[in-house]
Amino acid sequence: ILNVEQSPQSLHVQEGDSTNFTCSFPSSNFYALHWYRWETAKSPEALFVMTLNGDEKKKGRISATLNTKEGYSYLYIKGSQPEDSATYLCASHGAAGNKLTFGGGTRVLVKP
Amino acid sequence: DTGVSQNPRHKITKRGQNVTFRCDPISEHNRLYWYRQTLGQGPEFLTYFQNEAQLEKSRLLSDRFSAERPKGSFSTLEIQRTEQGDSAMYLCASRLGTTDTQYFGPGTRLTVL
């Protein structure tokens, strides 16, 4: 994998259902994986920064896991609510670099 | 509110005009980044400052683009002779050198007619 990729590009979730989506990233020269939530007309909000293989982080109903050996991360939303509707971005950066390389995002729409 | 502000939030300009955007980072953050996001894509890195020094520039940053961070505080991004392909959301982010998290502003949406 040369680039950061996210799938799916978009998904519709019924309120109350749980969902998850994927971020794939280059496993070589990996330093950290970031997840952001970006609501329309707002600043992207930092959710998690993960560095260690097997890392799991949780913030309320949202959690994320990290596999650095195979180069993927999952983001889970439990019991989706309309306020979870947003674009979720993942980004990686290498040890020597400062810049974030972003995936294209997963747009989540939670239907009441 | 992340504490990073950007102005203006929206800018509409005609092709060939110059535009300048401003970013005010979180005050103690010594590192500042500019990214650009076009429709359907994730943000792409443009340039990075550590204090007032511009340490890295992307190939995306053509000669028409210039960024400054005088005195290591706010930053400006100027685009000269704008083209329709410059239409995008321009995002600024800042971070403290001792942490990994970059805090983003709300962006400036540029439309070039």
Side-chain angles (χ1 to χ4, degrees), chain B residues 34-59:
Chain B
W34 285 98
Y35 294 86
R36 179 174 72 185
Q37 189 216 21
T38 52
L39 203 59
Q41 307 293 319
E44 295 175 292
F45 170 78
L46 291 179
T47 190
Y48 153 66
F49 289 86
Q50 184 170 320
N51 299 311
E52 65 274 13
Q54 188 174 18
L55 297 186
E56 189 173 351
K57 291 166 62 172
S58 163
R59 291 171 297 170

Side-chain angles (χ1 to χ4, degrees), chain A residues 9 31-32 34 36 38 41-46 48-49 51 87 89 93 97-105 107, chain B residues 1-2 4 9 31 33 35 37 40-45 48 50 56 89 91 95 100-107:
Chain A
Q9 284 187 329
Y31 179 78
H34 301 243
Y36 287 87
W38 194 2
K42 295 187 178 180
S43 303
E45 174 196 358
F48 307 114
V49 181
T51 57
T87 296
L89 293 166
H93 78 265
N98 291 279
K99 62 185 180 185
L100 297 178
T101 301
F102 283 88
R107 182 176 295 180
Chain B
D1 182 8
T2 61
V4 179
R9 294 289 303 273
R31 307 195 184 196
Y33 305 79
Y35 294 86
Q37 189 216 21
Q41 307 293 319
E44 295 175 292
F45 170 78
Y48 153 66
Q50 184 170 320
E56 189 173 351
M89 173 75 84
L91 290 162
R95 78 173 175 105
D100 293 317
T101 300
Q102 293 186 21
Y103 295 87
F104 281 83

Side-chain angles (χ1 to χ4, degrees), chain A:
Chain A
I1 297 172
L2 297 178
N3 296 316
V4 179
E5 297 173 355
Q6 292 186 247
S7 63
Q9 284 187 329
S10 65
L11 62 95
H12 293 183
V13 187
Q14 202 64 39
E15 182 177 357
D17 287 351
S18 297
T19 189
N20 65 84
F21 36 93
T22 309
C23 172
S24 302
F25 56 88
S27 53
S28 62
N29 195 30
F30 171 84
Y31 179 78
L33 192 283
H34 301 243
W35 281 101
Y36 287 87
R37 174 170 60 198
W38 194 2
E39 297 177 67
T40 303
K42 295 187 178 180
S43 303
E45 174 196 358
L47 292 174
F48 307 114
V49 181
M50 296 187 288
T51 57
L52 299 177
N53 186 45
D55 240 355
E56 290 188 28
K57 297 228 171 168
K58 187 175 181 181
K59 183 177 182 178
R61 293 178 292 97
I62 300 177
S63 60
T65 61
L66 180 67
N67 183 321
T68 61
K69 293 184 178 180
E70 296 183 38
Y72 65 84
S73 175
Y74 291 124
L75 192 91
Y76 301 88
I77 304 176
K78 184 178 178 182
S80 304
Q81 299 297 309
E83 58 265 30
D84 296 326
S85 297
T87 296
Y88 291 81
L89 293 166
C90 73
S92 73
H93 78 265
N98 291 279
K99 62 185 180 185
L100 297 178
T101 301
F102 283 88
T106 294
R107 182 176 295 180
V108 175
L109 179 61
V110 181
K111 298 180 177 179

